[in-house]
Amino acid sequence: MKVFTIGFTKKNAEQFFGRLKQPGLVRLVDARLNNISQLAGFTKKDDLRFFLRQIRNIDYLHMPELAPSQDILDDYKKNGGDWATYERKFLVLMEKRRVEDKVSKDTINGGCLLCSEPTPEHCHRRLVAEYLKSRWGDLEIVHL
Protein backbone atom coordinates (compact mmCIF):
# COMPACT_ATOMS: atom_id res chain seq x y z
CA MET A 1 0.00 0.00 0.00
CA LYS A 2 1.11 3.56 -0.68
CA VAL A 3 -0.09 6.92 0.61
CA PHE A 4 1.08 10.33 -0.54
CA THR A 5 0.95 13.60 1.39
CA ILE A 6 0.94 17.22 0.21
CA GLY A 7 0.43 20.70 1.61
CA PHE A 8 -0.76 23.60 -0.52
CA THR A 9 0.85 26.57 1.23
CA LYS A 10 3.74 28.20 -0.67
CA LYS A 11 2.75 26.40 -3.87
CA ASN A 12 1.03 27.91 -6.85
CA ALA A 13 -1.55 25.88 -8.77
CA GLU A 14 1.01 24.68 -11.34
CA GLN A 15 3.35 23.37 -8.63
CA PHE A 16 0.52 21.80 -6.62
CA PHE A 17 -1.21 19.98 -9.47
CA GLY A 18 2.14 19.08 -11.04
CA ARG A 19 3.19 17.23 -7.89
CA LEU A 20 -0.03 15.24 -7.95
CA LYS A 21 1.04 13.55 -11.19
CA GLN A 22 2.17 10.33 -9.53
CA PRO A 23 1.73 6.72 -10.63
CA GLY A 24 -0.96 5.13 -8.49
CA LEU A 25 -2.36 8.38 -7.07
CA VAL A 26 -6.13 8.14 -7.56
CA ARG A 27 -7.70 10.42 -4.92
CA LEU A 28 -6.96 13.40 -2.78
CA VAL A 29 -7.99 12.89 0.86
CA ASP A 30 -8.59 16.30 2.37
CA ALA A 31 -7.52 16.04 6.01
CA ARG A 32 -8.24 19.68 6.86
CA LEU A 33 -10.75 20.72 9.47
CA ASN A 34 -11.70 23.82 7.47
CA ASN A 35 -11.70 23.39 3.71
CA ILE A 36 -13.76 26.43 2.69
CA SER A 37 -11.58 29.29 3.98
CA GLN A 38 -10.80 32.16 1.63
CA LEU A 39 -7.16 31.61 2.60
CA ALA A 40 -7.28 28.22 0.87
CA GLY A 41 -7.39 29.91 -2.56
CA PHE A 42 -7.55 27.27 -5.29
CA THR A 43 -7.86 24.52 -2.66
CA LYS A 44 -11.31 25.45 -1.38
CA LYS A 45 -13.45 22.29 -1.34
CA ASP A 46 -15.65 22.83 -4.40
CA ASP A 47 -12.92 24.43 -6.50
CA LEU A 48 -10.44 21.72 -5.60
CA ARG A 49 -12.90 18.94 -6.46
CA PHE A 50 -13.40 20.52 -9.90
CA PHE A 51 -9.69 21.14 -10.58
CA LEU A 52 -8.66 17.63 -9.49
CA ARG A 53 -11.19 16.04 -11.83
CA GLN A 54 -10.38 18.33 -14.78
CA ILE A 55 -6.60 18.56 -14.45
CA ARG A 56 -5.59 15.17 -13.03
CA ASN A 57 -8.71 12.96 -13.19
CA ILE A 58 -8.35 12.44 -9.43
CA ASP A 59 -11.21 11.93 -6.97
CA TYR A 60 -11.72 14.19 -3.96
CA LEU A 61 -12.76 13.08 -0.48
CA HIS A 62 -13.01 15.28 2.62
CA MET A 63 -12.24 13.36 5.83
CA PRO A 64 -12.37 15.76 8.81
CA GLU A 65 -11.93 12.75 11.12
CA LEU A 66 -8.26 12.90 10.07
CA ALA A 67 -7.97 16.55 11.15
CA PRO A 68 -7.08 17.91 14.58
CA SER A 69 -9.91 19.19 16.73
CA GLN A 70 -10.39 22.96 16.83
CA ASP A 71 -9.07 23.18 20.40
CA ILE A 72 -5.87 21.27 19.57
CA LEU A 73 -5.36 23.45 16.50
CA ASP A 74 -6.02 26.68 18.42
CA ASP A 75 -3.66 25.71 21.25
CA TYR A 76 -0.87 25.24 18.73
CA LYS A 77 -1.55 27.99 16.17
CA LYS A 78 -3.24 30.79 18.10
CA ASN A 79 -1.83 30.26 21.59
CA GLY A 80 1.79 29.61 20.62
CA GLY A 81 1.84 25.95 21.65
CA ASP A 82 4.84 23.77 21.00
CA TRP A 83 5.01 21.02 18.40
CA ALA A 84 5.68 18.16 20.86
CA THR A 85 2.47 18.94 22.77
CA TYR A 86 0.47 19.28 19.56
CA GLU A 87 1.81 15.97 18.27
CA ARG A 88 1.03 14.16 21.53
CA LYS A 89 -2.52 15.54 21.71
CA PHE A 90 -3.21 14.79 18.06
CA LEU A 91 -2.01 11.19 18.32
CA VAL A 92 -4.19 10.65 21.41
CA LEU A 93 -7.12 12.01 19.38
CA MET A 94 -6.36 9.57 16.53
CA GLU A 95 -6.37 6.72 19.04
CA LYS A 96 -9.67 7.87 20.58
CA ARG A 97 -11.22 8.14 17.13
CA ARG A 98 -9.83 4.71 16.20
CA VAL A 99 -9.16 5.93 12.70
CA GLU A 100 -7.31 2.74 11.83
CA ASP A 101 -10.62 0.87 12.19
CA LYS A 102 -12.89 3.53 10.71
CA VAL A 103 -10.88 4.55 7.66
CA SER A 104 -10.75 2.04 4.83
CA LYS A 105 -7.35 0.88 3.64
CA ASP A 106 -8.75 1.19 0.11
CA THR A 107 -9.37 4.90 0.75
CA ILE A 108 -5.81 5.49 1.94
CA ASN A 109 -4.06 3.28 -0.62
CA GLY A 110 -3.43 5.48 -3.64
CA GLY A 111 -4.65 8.49 -1.72
CA CYS A 112 -2.87 11.74 -1.04
CA LEU A 113 -3.43 13.33 2.36
CA LEU A 114 -3.88 17.10 2.04
CA CYS A 115 -3.37 19.84 4.58
CA SER A 116 -2.10 23.39 4.48
CA GLU A 117 1.45 23.12 5.83
CA PRO A 118 4.11 23.48 3.10
CA THR A 119 6.30 20.64 4.40
CA PRO A 120 5.52 17.49 6.40
CA GLU A 121 7.84 18.08 9.37
CA HIS A 122 5.31 19.99 11.49
CA CYS A 123 2.14 18.78 9.89
CA HIS A 124 -0.69 16.50 10.93
CA ARG A 125 -0.85 14.80 7.50
CA ARG A 126 2.52 13.20 8.28
CA LEU A 127 1.28 12.18 11.72
CA VAL A 128 -1.84 10.57 10.20
CA ALA A 129 0.24 8.62 7.66
CA GLU A 130 2.72 7.47 10.30
CA TYR A 131 -0.07 6.57 12.72
CA LEU A 132 -1.80 4.42 10.10
CA LYS A 133 1.52 2.78 9.17
CA SER A 134 2.11 1.92 12.84
CA ARG A 135 -1.33 0.27 12.99
CA TRP A 136 -1.51 -1.37 9.57
CA GLY A 137 2.13 -2.19 8.87
CA ASP A 138 2.73 -2.27 5.14
CA LEU A 139 2.22 1.37 4.15
CA GLU A 140 4.72 3.33 2.08
CA ILE A 141 4.59 7.09 2.72
CA VAL A 142 5.61 9.53 -0.01
CA HIS A 143 5.66 13.26 0.76
CA LEU A 144 5.15 15.41 -2.33
Side-chain angles (χ1 to χ4, degrees):
M1 285 195 321
K2 183 186 281 189
V3 66
F4 302 89
T5 79
I6 193 167
F8 68 85
T9 303
K10 297 185 181 177
K11 293 174 188 70
N12 63 32
E14 182 178 4
Q15 294 166 326
F16 179 81
F17 291 104
R19 290 185 186 182
L20 292 176
K21 187 177 183 180
Q22 300 290 324
L25 198 158
V26 296
R27 84 188 51 78
L28 188 121
V29 179
D30 192 339
R32 296 175 293 172
L33 188 60
N34 181 5
N35 64 354
I36 57 172
S37 167
Q38 287 299 105
L39 297 176
F42 64 86
T43 65
K44 289 188 298 190
K45 173 182 70 170
D46 293 335
D47 293 337
L48 185 56
R49 179 180 286 121
F50 172 79
F51 292 139
L52 288 168
R53 177 61 53 210
Q54 294 297 311
I55 296 170
R56 288 282 172 243
N57 196 29
I58 295 173
D59 292 328
Y60 173 86
L61 179 63
H62 183 219
M63 297 191 77
E65 60 268 37
L66 299 180
S69 62
Q70 191 65 57
D71 62 319
I72 291 174
L73 198 55
D74 287 348
D75 282 349
Y76 180 62
K77 296 273 187 177
K78 293 181 180 177
N79 301 329
D82 66 278
W83 177 252
T85 301
Y86 173 90
E87 185 173 354
R88 187 179 72 256
K89 287 179 179 181
F90 182 69
L91 291 174
V92 167
L93 180 64
M94 292 291 94
E95 288 176 3
K96 285 182 184 177
R97 289 179 177 169
R98 301 191 48 83
V99 295
E100 69 273 19
D101 296 329
K102 294 180 179 171
V103 175
S104 165
K105 290 180 181 180
D106 289 336
T107 297
I108 298 302
N109 188 28
C112 183
L113 300 172
L114 169 73
C115 81
S116 61
E117 295 299 323
T119 62
E121 290 80 20
H122 291 110
C123 180
H124 79 278
R125 70 180 186 266
R126 175 184 60 83
L127 298 177
V128 169
E130 291 173 355
Y131 176 85
L132 291 174
K133 181 176 182 166
S134 75
R135 299 306 194 265
W136 293 343
D138 184 30
L139 182 63
E140 178 185 355
I141 302 168
V142 178
H143 302 291
L144 303 177

Short mmCIF file of all heavy atoms in Angstrom, two decimals, residues 29-83:
data_model
loop_
_atom_site.label_atom_id
_atom_site.label_comp_id
_atom_site.label_asym_id
_atom_site.label_seq_id
_atom_site.Cartn_x
_atom_site.Cartn_y
_atom_site.Cartn_z
N VAL A 29 -7.26 13.02 -0.41
CA VAL A 29 -7.99 12.89 0.86
C VAL A 29 -7.73 14.15 1.66
O VAL A 29 -6.63 14.34 2.20
CB VAL A 29 -7.56 11.62 1.63
CG1 VAL A 29 -8.31 11.52 2.94
CG2 VAL A 29 -7.75 10.37 0.78
N ASP A 30 -8.71 15.01 1.71
CA ASP A 30 -8.59 16.30 2.37
C ASP A 30 -8.70 16.08 3.88
O ASP A 30 -9.75 15.74 4.40
CB ASP A 30 -9.71 17.21 1.88
CG ASP A 30 -9.53 18.66 2.29
OD1 ASP A 30 -8.79 18.92 3.26
OD2 ASP A 30 -10.15 19.52 1.65
N ALA A 31 -7.59 16.27 4.58
CA ALA A 31 -7.52 16.04 6.01
C ALA A 31 -7.58 17.34 6.80
O ALA A 31 -7.15 17.41 7.95
CB ALA A 31 -6.25 15.26 6.36
N ARG A 32 -8.12 18.39 6.18
CA ARG A 32 -8.24 19.68 6.86
C ARG A 32 -9.56 19.76 7.61
O ARG A 32 -10.57 19.23 7.17
CB ARG A 32 -8.19 20.83 5.84
CG ARG A 32 -6.87 20.93 5.11
CD ARG A 32 -6.92 21.99 4.05
NE ARG A 32 -7.85 21.59 2.98
CZ ARG A 32 -8.22 22.39 1.99
NH1 ARG A 32 -7.76 23.63 1.92
NH2 ARG A 32 -9.06 21.97 1.06
N LEU A 33 -9.53 20.45 8.72
CA LEU A 33 -10.75 20.72 9.47
C LEU A 33 -11.62 21.72 8.70
O LEU A 33 -12.81 21.53 8.54
CB LEU A 33 -10.39 21.26 10.86
CG LEU A 33 -11.52 21.41 11.85
CD1 LEU A 33 -12.18 20.06 12.12
CD2 LEU A 33 -10.98 21.99 13.16
N ASN A 34 -10.99 22.77 8.20
CA ASN A 34 -11.70 23.82 7.47
C ASN A 34 -11.22 23.82 6.02
O ASN A 34 -10.08 24.19 5.75
CB ASN A 34 -11.44 25.17 8.12
CG ASN A 34 -12.16 26.30 7.43
OD1 ASN A 34 -12.95 26.10 6.52
ND2 ASN A 34 -11.88 27.52 7.87
N ASN A 35 -12.09 23.44 5.12
CA ASN A 35 -11.70 23.39 3.71
C ASN A 35 -12.46 24.39 2.84
O ASN A 35 -12.53 24.22 1.63
CB ASN A 35 -11.86 21.97 3.16
CG ASN A 35 -13.30 21.51 3.15
OD1 ASN A 35 -14.20 22.19 3.65
ND2 ASN A 35 -13.53 20.34 2.59
N ILE A 36 -13.02 25.42 3.46
CA ILE A 36 -13.76 26.43 2.69
C ILE A 36 -13.23 27.85 2.94
O ILE A 36 -13.80 28.80 2.45
CB ILE A 36 -15.28 26.37 3.00
CG1 ILE A 36 -15.55 26.54 4.49
CG2 ILE A 36 -15.88 25.08 2.46
CD1 ILE A 36 -17.01 26.67 4.84
N SER A 37 -12.16 27.99 3.66
CA SER A 37 -11.58 29.29 3.98
C SER A 37 -11.12 30.02 2.73
O SER A 37 -10.58 29.42 1.80
CB SER A 37 -10.39 29.11 4.93
OG SER A 37 -9.64 30.29 5.03
N GLN A 38 -11.30 31.33 2.73
CA GLN A 38 -10.80 32.16 1.63
C GLN A 38 -9.28 32.03 1.52
O GLN A 38 -8.73 32.18 0.43
CB GLN A 38 -11.18 33.63 1.84
CG GLN A 38 -12.64 33.91 1.60
CD GLN A 38 -13.07 33.60 0.18
OE1 GLN A 38 -13.73 32.60 -0.07
NE2 GLN A 38 -12.69 34.43 -0.75
N LEU A 39 -8.61 31.75 2.62
CA LEU A 39 -7.16 31.61 2.60
C LEU A 39 -6.70 30.38 1.83
O LEU A 39 -5.54 30.26 1.47
CB LEU A 39 -6.62 31.54 4.04
CG LEU A 39 -6.86 32.78 4.90
CD1 LEU A 39 -6.37 32.55 6.32
CD2 LEU A 39 -6.19 34.01 4.29
N ALA A 40 -7.62 29.45 1.58
CA ALA A 40 -7.28 28.22 0.87
C ALA A 40 -7.12 28.45 -0.63
O ALA A 40 -6.61 27.58 -1.33
CB ALA A 40 -8.34 27.15 1.13
N GLY A 41 -7.56 29.61 -1.14
CA GLY A 41 -7.39 29.91 -2.56
C GLY A 41 -7.95 28.83 -3.46
O GLY A 41 -9.12 28.48 -3.36
N PHE A 42 -7.09 28.28 -4.34
CA PHE A 42 -7.55 27.27 -5.29
C PHE A 42 -7.83 25.91 -4.64
O PHE A 42 -8.27 24.99 -5.32
CB PHE A 42 -6.54 27.10 -6.44
CG PHE A 42 -5.19 26.59 -6.01
CD1 PHE A 42 -4.95 25.23 -5.90
CD2 PHE A 42 -4.16 27.47 -5.72
CE1 PHE A 42 -3.70 24.75 -5.50
CE2 PHE A 42 -2.91 27.01 -5.33
CZ PHE A 42 -2.68 25.64 -5.21
N THR A 43 -7.60 25.80 -3.34
CA THR A 43 -7.86 24.52 -2.66
C THR A 43 -9.13 24.55 -1.80
O THR A 43 -9.31 23.68 -0.96
CB THR A 43 -6.66 24.06 -1.81
OG1 THR A 43 -6.46 24.98 -0.74
CG2 THR A 43 -5.41 23.92 -2.66
N LYS A 44 -10.01 25.50 -2.04
CA LYS A 44 -11.31 25.45 -1.38
C LYS A 44 -12.05 24.22 -1.91
O LYS A 44 -11.93 23.86 -3.09
CB LYS A 44 -12.12 26.71 -1.64
CG LYS A 44 -11.58 27.92 -0.90
CD LYS A 44 -12.50 29.10 -1.01
CE LYS A 44 -12.65 29.53 -2.45
NZ LYS A 44 -13.34 30.80 -2.60
N LYS A 45 -12.82 23.58 -1.06
CA LYS A 45 -13.45 22.29 -1.34
C LYS A 45 -14.02 22.16 -2.75
O LYS A 45 -13.62 21.27 -3.51
CB LYS A 45 -14.52 22.03 -0.29
CG LYS A 45 -15.36 20.79 -0.56
CD LYS A 45 -16.44 20.59 0.47
CE LYS A 45 -17.50 21.65 0.34
NZ LYS A 45 -18.69 21.40 1.14
N ASP A 46 -14.97 22.99 -3.11
CA ASP A 46 -15.65 22.83 -4.40
C ASP A 46 -14.73 23.12 -5.58
O ASP A 46 -14.77 22.42 -6.59
CB ASP A 46 -16.90 23.71 -4.46
CG ASP A 46 -17.97 23.26 -3.49
OD1 ASP A 46 -17.98 22.06 -3.12
OD2 ASP A 46 -18.79 24.10 -3.08
N ASP A 47 -13.88 24.13 -5.44
CA ASP A 47 -12.92 24.43 -6.50
C ASP A 47 -11.93 23.28 -6.67
O ASP A 47 -11.64 22.85 -7.78
CB ASP A 47 -12.16 25.72 -6.20
CG ASP A 47 -13.04 26.96 -6.25
OD1 ASP A 47 -14.10 26.92 -6.90
OD2 ASP A 47 -12.67 27.96 -5.62
N LEU A 48 -11.43 22.80 -5.56
CA LEU A 48 -10.44 21.72 -5.60
C LEU A 48 -11.03 20.46 -6.23
O LEU A 48 -10.38 19.82 -7.06
CB LEU A 48 -9.93 21.43 -4.19
CG LEU A 48 -8.81 20.41 -4.08
CD1 LEU A 48 -7.61 20.80 -4.94
CD2 LEU A 48 -8.39 20.25 -2.62
N ARG A 49 -12.24 20.11 -5.86
CA ARG A 49 -12.90 18.94 -6.46
C ARG A 49 -12.94 19.08 -7.99
O ARG A 49 -12.62 18.15 -8.73
CB ARG A 49 -14.31 18.77 -5.90
CG ARG A 49 -15.06 17.59 -6.49
CD ARG A 49 -16.46 17.45 -5.92
NE ARG A 49 -16.37 16.95 -4.56
CZ ARG A 49 -16.84 17.57 -3.48
NH1 ARG A 49 -17.44 18.74 -3.59
NH2 ARG A 49 -16.72 17.03 -2.29
N PHE A 50 -13.33 20.26 -8.46
CA PHE A 50 -13.40 20.52 -9.90
C PHE A 50 -12.02 20.42 -10.55
O PHE A 50 -11.83 19.73 -11.56
CB PHE A 50 -14.01 21.90 -10.15
CG PHE A 50 -13.95 22.33 -11.58
CD1 PHE A 50 -14.86 21.84 -12.51
CD2 PHE A 50 -12.98 23.23 -12.01
CE1 PHE A 50 -14.80 22.24 -13.84
CE2 PHE A 50 -12.91 23.63 -13.34
CZ PHE A 50 -13.82 23.12 -14.25
N PHE A 51 -11.03 21.13 -9.99
CA PHE A 51 -9.69 21.14 -10.58
C PHE A 51 -9.07 19.74 -10.61
O PHE A 51 -8.43 19.36 -11.59
CB PHE A 51 -8.77 22.10 -9.82
CG PHE A 51 -9.13 23.54 -9.97
CD1 PHE A 51 -9.07 24.39 -8.86
CD2 PHE A 51 -9.52 24.08 -11.18
CE1 PHE A 51 -9.39 25.73 -8.98
CE2 PHE A 51 -9.85 25.42 -11.31
CZ PHE A 51 -9.78 26.26 -10.20
N LEU A 52 -9.23 18.99 -9.54
CA LEU A 52 -8.66 17.63 -9.49
C LEU A 52 -9.23 16.76 -10.60
O LEU A 52 -8.50 16.01 -11.26
CB LEU A 52 -8.92 16.99 -8.13
CG LEU A 52 -8.13 17.54 -6.97
CD1 LEU A 52 -8.68 17.02 -5.66
CD2 LEU A 52 -6.65 17.19 -7.10
N ARG A 53 -10.53 16.85 -10.79
CA ARG A 53 -11.19 16.04 -11.83
C ARG A 53 -10.74 16.49 -13.22
O ARG A 53 -10.41 15.67 -14.07
CB ARG A 53 -12.71 16.16 -11.69
CG ARG A 53 -13.52 15.44 -12.72
CD ARG A 53 -13.38 13.95 -12.82
NE ARG A 53 -13.58 13.26 -11.58
CZ ARG A 53 -12.98 12.11 -11.28
NH1 ARG A 53 -12.18 11.54 -12.14
NH2 ARG A 53 -13.19 11.52 -10.13
N GLN A 54 -10.71 17.80 -13.46
CA GLN A 54 -10.38 18.33 -14.78
C GLN A 54 -8.90 18.21 -15.14
O GLN A 54 -8.56 17.89 -16.27
CB GLN A 54 -10.81 19.80 -14.88
CG GLN A 54 -12.30 20.01 -14.82
CD GLN A 54 -13.02 19.36 -15.98
OE1 GLN A 54 -12.63 19.52 -17.13
NE2 GLN A 54 -14.06 18.60 -15.68
N ILE A 55 -8.04 18.50 -14.17
CA ILE A 55 -6.60 18.56 -14.45
C ILE A 55 -5.92 17.19 -14.32
O ILE A 55 -5.07 16.83 -15.13
CB ILE A 55 -5.91 19.58 -13.53
CG1 ILE A 55 -6.45 20.98 -13.82
CG2 ILE A 55 -4.39 19.55 -13.68
CD1 ILE A 55 -6.02 22.04 -12.80
N ARG A 56 -6.28 16.42 -13.32
CA ARG A 56 -5.59 15.17 -13.03
C ARG A 56 -6.47 13.93 -13.04
O ARG A 56 -5.99 12.84 -12.82
CB ARG A 56 -4.88 15.26 -11.67
CG ARG A 56 -3.68 16.14 -11.67
CD ARG A 56 -2.51 15.40 -12.30
NE ARG A 56 -1.40 16.29 -12.48
CZ ARG A 56 -0.89 16.60 -13.67
NH1 ARG A 56 -1.37 16.07 -14.76
NH2 ARG A 56 0.11 17.42 -13.77
N ASN A 57 -7.78 14.09 -13.25
CA ASN A 57 -8.71 12.96 -13.19
C ASN A 57 -8.56 12.19 -11.87
O ASN A 57 -8.45 10.97 -11.83
CB ASN A 57 -8.54 12.02 -14.38
CG ASN A 57 -9.72 11.09 -14.53
OD1 ASN A 57 -10.84 11.41 -14.16
ND2 ASN A 57 -9.47 9.91 -15.07
N ILE A 58 -8.52 12.97 -10.79
CA ILE A 58 -8.35 12.44 -9.43
C ILE A 58 -9.63 12.71 -8.65
O ILE A 58 -10.22 13.79 -8.76
CB ILE A 58 -7.14 13.11 -8.73
CG1 ILE A 58 -5.84 12.75 -9.44
CG2 ILE A 58 -7.07 12.72 -7.26
CD1 ILE A 58 -4.63 13.51 -8.90
N ASP A 59 -10.05 11.75 -7.84
CA ASP A 59 -11.21 11.93 -6.97
C ASP A 59 -10.86 12.79 -5.77
O ASP A 59 -9.69 12.90 -5.39
CB ASP A 59 -11.73 10.57 -6.48
CG ASP A 59 -12.34 9.74 -7.59
OD1 ASP A 59 -12.90 10.33 -8.54
OD2 ASP A 59 -12.25 8.51 -7.51
N TYR A 60 -11.87 13.35 -5.15
CA TYR A 60 -11.72 14.19 -3.96
C TYR A 60 -12.60 13.63 -2.85
O TYR A 60 -13.75 13.27 -3.08
CB TYR A 60 -12.14 15.63 -4.27
CG TYR A 60 -12.18 16.52 -3.04
CD1 TYR A 60 -11.04 17.16 -2.60
CD2 TYR A 60 -13.37 16.69 -2.32
CE1 TYR A 60 -11.08 17.98 -1.47
CE2 TYR A 60 -13.41 17.50 -1.21
CZ TYR A 60 -12.26 18.13 -0.78
OH TYR A 60 -12.30 18.93 0.34
N LEU A 61 -12.02 13.56 -1.65
CA LEU A 61 -12.76 13.08 -0.48
C LEU A 61 -12.34 13.92 0.72
O LEU A 61 -11.15 14.03 1.02
CB LEU A 61 -12.43 11.61 -0.25
CG LEU A 61 -13.06 10.91 0.94
CD1 LEU A 61 -14.59 10.87 0.80
CD2 LEU A 61 -12.52 9.49 1.05
N HIS A 62 -13.31 14.52 1.41
CA HIS A 62 -13.01 15.28 2.62
C HIS A 62 -13.21 14.36 3.82
O HIS A 62 -14.28 13.76 3.98
CB HIS A 62 -13.93 16.50 2.73
CG HIS A 62 -13.63 17.36 3.91
ND1 HIS A 62 -14.61 17.95 4.66
CD2 HIS A 62 -12.45 17.75 4.46
CE1 HIS A 62 -14.04 18.66 5.63
NE2 HIS A 62 -12.74 18.55 5.53
N MET A 63 -12.19 14.23 4.65
CA MET A 63 -12.24 13.36 5.83
C MET A 63 -11.82 14.16 7.07
O MET A 63 -10.67 14.05 7.52
CB MET A 63 -11.36 12.13 5.64
CG MET A 63 -11.82 11.24 4.50
SD MET A 63 -10.98 9.65 4.46
CE MET A 63 -11.85 8.83 5.80
N PRO A 64 -12.72 14.96 7.64
CA PRO A 64 -12.37 15.76 8.81
C PRO A 64 -12.00 14.91 10.02
O PRO A 64 -11.37 15.42 10.95
CB PRO A 64 -13.62 16.60 9.06
CG PRO A 64 -14.72 15.90 8.35
CD PRO A 64 -14.10 15.16 7.21
N GLU A 65 -12.34 13.62 10.02
CA GLU A 65 -11.93 12.75 11.12
C GLU A 65 -10.42 12.54 11.16
O GLU A 65 -9.88 12.05 12.14
CB GLU A 65 -12.66 11.41 11.07
CG GLU A 65 -12.43 10.59 9.82
CD GLU A 65 -13.44 10.83 8.73
OE1 GLU A 65 -13.91 11.98 8.52
OE2 GLU A 65 -13.79 9.85 8.05
N LEU A 66 -9.72 12.97 10.11
CA LEU A 66 -8.26 12.90 10.07
C LEU A 66 -7.63 14.24 10.43
O LEU A 66 -6.41 14.39 10.38
CB LEU A 66 -7.78 12.45 8.69
CG LEU A 66 -8.25 11.07 8.23
CD1 LEU A 66 -7.70 10.76 6.84
CD2 LEU A 66 -7.86 9.99 9.23
N ALA A 67 -8.44 15.21 10.80
CA ALA A 67 -7.97 16.55 11.15
C ALA A 67 -7.90 16.70 12.67
O ALA A 67 -8.61 16.01 13.40
CB ALA A 67 -8.91 17.60 10.57
N PRO A 68 -7.08 17.62 13.13
CA PRO A 68 -7.08 17.91 14.58
C PRO A 68 -8.39 18.58 14.98
O PRO A 68 -9.06 19.18 14.14
CB PRO A 68 -5.90 18.87 14.75
CG PRO A 68 -5.72 19.49 13.40
CD PRO A 68 -6.14 18.46 12.40
N SER A 69 -8.74 18.47 16.23
CA SER A 69 -9.91 19.19 16.73
C SER A 69 -9.57 20.68 16.77
O SER A 69 -8.40 21.07 16.76
CB SER A 69 -10.27 18.69 18.12
OG SER A 69 -9.20 18.95 19.02
N GLN A 70 -10.60 21.51 16.81
CA GLN A 70 -10.39 22.96 16.83
C GLN A 70 -9.58 23.39 18.05
O GLN A 70 -8.70 24.25 17.94
CB GLN A 70 -11.72 23.71 16.79
CG GLN A 70 -11.57 25.19 16.53
CD GLN A 70 -11.00 25.48 15.15
OE1 GLN A 70 -11.56 25.06 14.15
NE2 GLN A 70 -9.90 26.20 15.08
N ASP A 71 -9.81 22.78 19.20
CA ASP A 71 -9.07 23.18 20.40
C ASP A 71 -7.59 22.80 20.30
O ASP A 71 -6.72 23.58 20.72
CB ASP A 71 -9.72 22.63 21.68
CG ASP A 71 -9.76 21.13 21.74
OD1 ASP A 71 -10.03 20.49 20.72
OD2 ASP A 71 -9.52 20.58 22.85
N ILE A 72 -7.27 21.66 19.74
CA ILE A 72 -5.87 21.27 19.57
C ILE A 72 -5.20 22.23 18.58
O ILE A 72 -4.08 22.70 18.81
CB ILE A 72 -5.74 19.81 19.08
CG1 ILE A 72 -6.16 18.85 20.20
CG2 ILE A 72 -4.32 19.50 18.62
CD1 ILE A 72 -6.22 17.38 19.77
N LEU A 73 -5.89 22.54 17.51
CA LEU A 73 -5.36 23.45 16.50
C LEU A 73 -5.15 24.85 17.08
O LEU A 73 -4.10 25.46 16.88
CB LEU A 73 -6.33 23.50 15.31
CG LEU A 73 -5.83 24.05 14.00
CD1 LEU A 73 -4.60 23.32 13.52
CD2 LEU A 73 -6.94 23.96 12.96
N ASP A 74 -6.13 25.34 17.82
CA ASP A 74 -6.02 26.68 18.42
C ASP A 74 -4.89 26.75 19.44
O ASP A 74 -4.15 27.74 19.48
CB ASP A 74 -7.33 27.08 19.09
CG ASP A 74 -8.41 27.45 18.08
OD1 ASP A 74 -8.10 27.61 16.89
OD2 ASP A 74 -9.58 27.55 18.50
N ASP A 75 -4.75 25.72 20.27
CA ASP A 75 -3.66 25.71 21.25
C ASP A 75 -2.30 25.85 20.57
O ASP A 75 -1.42 26.56 21.07
CB ASP A 75 -3.67 24.41 22.08
CG ASP A 75 -4.72 24.42 23.17
OD1 ASP A 75 -5.30 25.49 23.44
OD2 ASP A 75 -4.96 23.34 23.76
N TYR A 76 -2.15 25.20 19.44
CA TYR A 76 -0.87 25.24 18.73
C TYR A 76 -0.70 26.53 17.92
O TYR A 76 0.30 27.23 18.06
CB TYR A 76 -0.74 24.02 17.82
CG TYR A 76 0.54 23.97 17.05
CD1 TYR A 76 1.77 23.89 17.69
CD2 TYR A 76 0.54 24.02 15.66
CE1 TYR A 76 2.95 23.85 16.98
CE2 TYR A 76 1.71 23.99 14.93
CZ TYR A 76 2.92 23.90 15.60
OH TYR A 76 4.10 23.87 14.89
N LYS A 77 -1.68 26.86 17.09
CA LYS A 77 -1.55 27.99 16.17
C LYS A 77 -1.78 29.35 16.82
O LYS A 77 -1.01 30.27 16.63
CB LYS A 77 -2.54 27.83 15.01
CG LYS A 77 -2.28 26.63 14.13
CD LYS A 77 -1.31 26.97 13.06
CE LYS A 77 -1.19 25.80 12.09
NZ LYS A 77 -0.31 26.10 11.00
N LYS A 78 -2.86 29.48 17.56
CA LYS A 78 -3.24 30.79 18.10
C LYS A 78 -2.60 31.08 19.45
O LYS A 78 -2.39 32.24 19.79
CB LYS A 78 -4.76 30.89 18.22
CG LYS A 78 -5.47 30.90 16.89
CD LYS A 78 -6.95 31.04 17.04
CE LYS A 78 -7.64 31.04 15.69
NZ LYS A 78 -9.09 31.10 15.81
N ASN A 79 -2.34 30.05 20.23
CA ASN A 79 -1.83 30.26 21.59
C ASN A 79 -0.35 29.96 21.73
O ASN A 79 0.16 29.84 22.84
CB ASN A 79 -2.64 29.42 22.58
CG ASN A 79 -4.11 29.77 22.55
OD1 ASN A 79 -4.49 30.90 22.28
ND2 ASN A 79 -4.95 28.78 22.83
N GLY A 80 0.34 29.79 20.60
CA GLY A 80 1.79 29.61 20.62
C GLY A 80 2.24 28.31 21.25
O GLY A 80 3.30 28.25 21.87
N GLY A 81 1.46 27.25 21.09
CA GLY A 81 1.84 25.95 21.65
C GLY A 81 3.06 25.38 20.96
O GLY A 81 3.45 25.80 19.88
N ASP A 82 3.66 24.38 21.59
CA ASP A 82 4.84 23.77 21.00
C ASP A 82 4.44 22.51 20.23
O ASP A 82 3.40 21.90 20.48
CB ASP A 82 5.89 23.45 22.08
CG ASP A 82 5.41 22.39 23.04
OD1 ASP A 82 4.67 22.74 23.99
OD2 ASP A 82 5.77 21.22 22.83
N TRP A 83 5.31 22.14 19.28
CA TRP A 83 5.01 21.02 18.40
C TRP A 83 4.88 19.70 19.16
O TRP A 83 3.99 18.89 18.86
CB TRP A 83 6.07 20.89 17.31
CG TRP A 83 5.80 19.69 16.46
CD1 TRP A 83 6.51 18.52 16.44
CD2 TRP A 83 4.73 19.51 15.54
NE1 TRP A 83 5.94 17.63 15.56
CE2 TRP A 83 4.84 18.22 14.99
CE3 TRP A 83 3.67 20.32 15.11
CZ2 TRP A 83 3.96 17.72 14.04
CZ3 TRP A 83 2.78 19.80 14.17
CH2 TRP A 83 2.93 18.53 13.66
#
